Amino acid sequence: MSSTTIAPARQTVRAAERVAAARRHVSMGETLAQTMTMAWRAVKKMRRNPEQFFDVVLQPILFTAMFAYVFGGAIAGDVESYLPLMIPGILAQTVLTTCMVTGTQLREDMEKGVFDRFKSLPIARIAPLAGPMVADLLRYATAATLTFSMGLLMGYRPGGGVTGVLAAILLAILTGWSLAWIFTWVGTIAKSAQAVQGISMMILFPLTFLSNAFVPVGTLPGWLAAFVRVNPVSHLVTAARDLANGALVSTEVAWTLLACLVVVAVFAPLSVRSYKRHI
Amino acid sequence: MNITEPGTEPAVRAEGLVKAFGEHRAVDGIDLDVRAGEIFGVLGPNGAGKTTTLRMLATLLPIDAGRAEIFGVDVAADPHVIRQLVGVTGQYASVDENLTARENLWLFSRLQGIPSARAKRIADRLLGQFGLEEAADKTLAHFSGGMRRRLDLAASLITRPPLIFLDEPTTGLDPRTRGQMWDTIRGLVADGCTVLLTTQYLDEADQLADRIAVIDRGRKVAEGTPDELKTAVGDSTLQLLLAEPGEVPAAVEVVRRVLGSDPVLSPEQGRLNVALDQADRAADVLIALRTAGVSISSVSVAKPSLDEVFLALTGHETDDRTDVEENR
Ligand SMILES: Nc1ncnc2c1ncn2[C@@H]1O[C@H](COP(=O)(O)OP(=O)(O)OP(=O)(O)O)[C@@H](O)[C@H]1O
Ligand SMILES: [Mg+2]
């Protein structure tokens, strides 16, 4: 630190000019740019901590194999005929588990000093929350692609062809991103990262297991079937099945998109509000 | 927003600031007036409310009562404008551990709307200014505390804000790095910035600040130039340890007779601190004590410490509340 003093020949700072030039609000364009910068930060972080990718890589592989051989015989008679039913289910499940991590990671991140600086900068309050979620699209894409690849390896031949499968993957990514706002909100309200984890689990389990992801609804008792039918994850699973297995864009796609929209509209503002309050 | 001639608007004007955490009023009605272009020091012991005050002014904490303006802009009403005017260097480094020094500076520049190429140049310039070129591409895990502190300050200067908050900028730095930090801070003011800093060290406030506010338990107990404050406690302190604690009243009597003022009794048995306006009055006191037959087991003359400023101003010791360490 030999030449710490600020070089002299620079323009002096004039407060009055700065006050006059200051803007009172962040524009949409700025918000977007700031979110992308935050996403850049999150991607850097992922690359420096590759263990963050373990879950999105291992889970689709393990779960596909496990579920196919454990439940395949019991539910569909044989593994091959269970795959078209199961792969879209695993798709929904891995994407959901992936977005659950969003809340925990946000919480851990928020405890770090750098969030103090984010708060003291003239940036949109939503950018530090939305940035990591944009970066998480990479994780959803990895999880979704691996799930289908695993299925293909095990003998799954999706009737919807490449287009159908890609559409199913896209829908799953979009749903994951939307549902992640719920976990982001949990991340901003809970007291600690551990608490976030606990609460998120409690949200995640009914969402994935009380859906038609692995079990045909017909086999369930009435009251359970009722919940399974309104669960947005069921809509995603059915929509993804129709897309992947028949390239069929059913009304289930519309229901899924609507559910996503509602979730984002409710939980994004809630998250920003509680982030602002967070000391 | 009112636009006035430069120099006429105070940099900070706060009236009756209050922040309560539950029942505890961490800041309990503080007024501050920081003039544009000065270094203003907020001096206080652990838990006095320095950080809380700065955080309220920096829009990081809501203000419970009272009001604050920065360059005439209301802090509570226009937080987004305030954030464009103030560069904040907190007590704990607020830089990203996962990024390198260069990436940190680039990130904060981009977030403030600076185009990528210019952000790179700014990062280079700041890394040079703060002697961080060699470590520029290492992640912060490899950084020493002093390097982090410098990077943190550099990150606050990206947009060259007119007002800079420094929360204990030199706590934990070695003497050399501390001297360099002081030079940097003086350089900022030479550039036209205003600096509001907090410190626990009287000598730091003395060296740097044009004016000082002393706060204690959330209240301001004194304000003035370093010279004014020091006259309140004397220029230096004669520290006496009596051989016989029982002779304290006699010693107090002698000091009162020689200097016309009372010494400060330390909680330690038989120890007295005598404020001196000139160091050579020490001899007068010592001779008078000898004549009066009060025997002394140790003597030293020192600069008054924050503790003594406190004793003189508040009549109580600075109580170390170590529980504040975790707070941000
Ligand atoms: N988030 C918080 N919740 C509860 N109490 C708090 C919080 N932040 C600070 N306090 C309390 O407010 C008081 C003032 O704290 P503050 O951090 O402002 O002191 P400080 O002067 O900066 O001290 P230090 O020199 O240790 O940094 C302390 O008693 C502290 O325990
Ligand atoms: Mg503090």
Side-chain angles (χ1 to χ4, degrees):
Chain A
M1 201 183 173
S2 48
S3 55
T4 347
T5 34
I6 304 292
R10 282 199 289 128
Q11 250 192 328
T12 48
V13 177
R14 285 185 214 289
E17 284 169 17
R18 293 304 185 81
V19 174
R23 273 160 310 167
R24 308 188 76 137
H25 299 288
V26 201
S27 71
M28 279 299 281
E30 286 168 336
T31 306
L32 202 66
Q34 290 157 4
T35 302
M36 293 319 285
T37 307
M38 286 296 190
W40 170 86
R41 164 179 180 266
V43 171
K44 276 269 164 194
K45 214 175 113 187
M46 280 183 200
R47 281 178 38 190
R48 301 231 159 99
N49 305 290
E51 70 274 9
Q52 282 187 11
F53 267 93
F54 277 8
D55 58 339
V56 292
V57 173
L58 289 183
Q59 203 192 314
I61 296 174
L62 286 179
F63 276 19
T64 315
M66 223 168 66
F67 277 94
Y69 296 116
V70 174
F71 297 125
I75 293 166
D78 66 284
V79 172
E80 218 105 314
S81 41
Y82 186 46
L83 284 173
L85 185 73
M86 183 196 77
I87 295 294
I90 301 266
L91 176 76
Q93 200 223 357
T94 45
V95 163
L96 263 173
T97 326
T98 310
C99 71
M100 185 190 90
V101 181
T102 311
T104 322
Q105 283 183 354
L106 175 73
R107 181 70 238 185
E108 276 170 2
D109 216 18
M110 273 171 67
E111 323 233 294
K112 294 190 185 131
V114 68
F115 260 73
D116 254 3
R117 186 171 297 281
F118 293 152
K119 283 185 194 158
S120 76
L121 291 179
I123 59 174
R125 303 291 97 176
I126 200 171
L129 306 180
M133 294 183 58
V134 172
D136 274 345
L137 293 176
L138 277 178
R139 288 157 48 86
Y140 305 139
T142 312
T145 313
L146 276 176
T147 307
F148 271 102
S149 313
M150 204 42 206
L152 291 176
L153 274 180
M154 290 171 59
Y156 175 42
R157 295 294 169 260
V162 180
T163 340
V165 168
L166 283 183
I169 291 182
L170 264 180
L171 188 68
I173 294 176
L174 187 79
T175 312
W177 185 83
S178 309
L179 294 183
W181 280 105
I182 302 179
F183 299 102
T184 294
W185 176 67
V186 173
T188 58
I189 55 162
K191 289 250 185 295
S192 66
Q194 255 160 344
V196 178
Q197 183 113 31
I199 300 171
S200 301
M201 285 290 203
M202 275 170 23
I203 299 175
L204 184 78
F205 274 120
L207 274 181
T208 45
F209 287 103
L210 299 185
S211 75
N212 60 354
F214 305 112
V215 188
V217 188
T219 65
L220 300 171
W223 59 274
L224 208 52
F227 177 83
V228 168
R229 281 200 191 90
V230 294
N231 185 349
V233 177
S234 297
H235 293 294
L236 168 66
V237 172
T238 315
R241 276 181 191 146
D242 294 344
L243 285 168
N245 296 330
L248 180 72
V249 186
S250 56
T251 49
E252 290 298 315
V253 176
W255 283 118
T256 312
L257 293 178
L258 183 70
C260 291
L261 204 70
V262 171
V263 167
V264 177
V266 172
F267 287 95
L270 276 182
S271 307
V272 173
R273 212 181 64 168
S274 86
Y275 169 67
K276 276 188 186 166
R277 279 211 205 132
H278 184 84
I279 306 169
Chain B
M1 208 173 313
N2 37 12
I3 298 151
T4 34
E5 287 302 304
T8 56
E9 198 75 71
V12 179
R13 182 195 288 141
E15 284 161 16
L17 283 188
V18 171
K19 180 82 224 175
F21 295 110
E23 289 290 284
H24 173 56
R25 285 162 91 90
V27 174
D28 194 5
I30 285 188
D31 300 334
L32 284 182
D33 248 298
V34 180
R35 297 169 197 153
E38 74 176 347
I39 300 182
F40 190 93
V42 174
L43 181 66
N46 285 140
K50 304 182 295 294
T51 301
T52 309
T53 305
L54 280 198
R55 288 179 66 89
M56 279 194 280
L57 293 173
T59 76
L60 292 171
L61 271 182
I63 297 172
D64 286 353
R67 50 169 297 163
E69 277 181 6
I70 285 175
F71 295 117
V73 182
D74 190 278
V75 173
D78 270 322
H80 189 64
V81 175
I82 299 299
R83 292 179 191 128
Q84 291 166 71
L85 300 175
V86 183
V88 185
T89 304
Q91 185 167 358
Y92 306 94
S94 45
V95 282
D96 195 331
E97 299 289 321
N98 291 292
L99 301 181
T100 67
R102 194 189 298 284
E103 287 166 349
N104 262 290
L105 294 174
W106 187 83
L107 171 77
F108 299 130
S109 303
R110 292 288 296 132
L111 284 175
Q112 294 177 87
I114 296 169
S116 182
R118 230 185 95 214
K120 288 208 168 79
R121 285 201 301 279
I122 291 178
D124 283 338
R125 194 194 75 220
L126 286 169
L127 289 167
Q129 254 171 40
F130 284 86
L132 292 168
E133 294 111 321
E134 274 169 39
D137 297 307
K138 289 188 183 136
T139 52
L140 300 202
H142 304 272
F143 271 42
S144 70
M147 287 159 85
R148 265 169 230 243
R149 211 96 193 87
R150 267 137 65 192
L151 180 64
D152 208 26
L153 178 54
S156 309
L157 304 182
I158 288 170
T159 57
R160 306 185 71 222
L163 177 61
I164 293 155
F165 289 171
L166 301 171
D167 197 357
E168 303 197 15
T170 65
T171 302
L173 298 189
D174 64 45
R176 195 178 67 99
T177 323
R178 164 185 265 213
Q180 285 164 340
M181 189 60 97
W182 287 357
D183 289 340
T184 307
I185 295 168
R186 291 192 187 102
L188 292 173
V189 174
D191 267 8
C193 297
T194 307
V195 174
L196 173 57
L197 60 83
T198 73
T199 181
Q200 302 190 26
Y201 310 114
L202 182 63
D203 70 322
E204 179 160 281
D206 187 11
Q207 288 281 327
L208 280 177
D210 299 301
R211 287 186 313 127
I212 299 172
V214 182
I215 65 169
D216 177 43
R217 298 180 180 175
R219 290 172 177 277
K220 188 163 76 179
V221 293
E223 182 171 340
T225 63
D227 281 340
E228 286 165 356
L229 280 187
K230 278 187 297 178
T231 1
V233 273
D235 210 15
S236 47
T237 311
L238 173 66
Q239 300 170 335
L240 298 172
L241 183 62
L242 303 185
E244 277 299 324
E247 289 182 337
V248 167
V252 170
E253 189 54 44
V254 169
V255 172
R256 191 178 295 151
R257 186 157 39 79
V258 176
L259 296 177
S261 61
D262 279 4
V264 177
L265 301 185
S266 150
E268 201 180 326
Q269 280 284 297
R271 189 176 280 287
L272 311 177
N273 290 332
V274 183
L276 302 168
D277 42 6
Q278 289 164 313
D280 47 13
R281 300 298 306 269
D284 301 344
V285 175
L286 292 176
I287 293 165
L289 285 171
R290 154 87 60 81
T291 322
V294 177
S295 52
I296 292 161
S297 73
S298 100
V299 165
S300 63
V301 177
K303 287 259 171 218
S305 66
L306 177 58
D307 290 329
E308 281 153 295
V309 175
F310 257 82
L311 270 171
L313 291 172
T314 66
H316 70 83
E317 294 279 310
T318 63
D319 32 23
D320 251 326
R321 296 173 215 165
T322 36
D323 57 324
V324 294
E325 284 307 307
E326 331 295 331
N327 286 305
R328 291 172 171 219

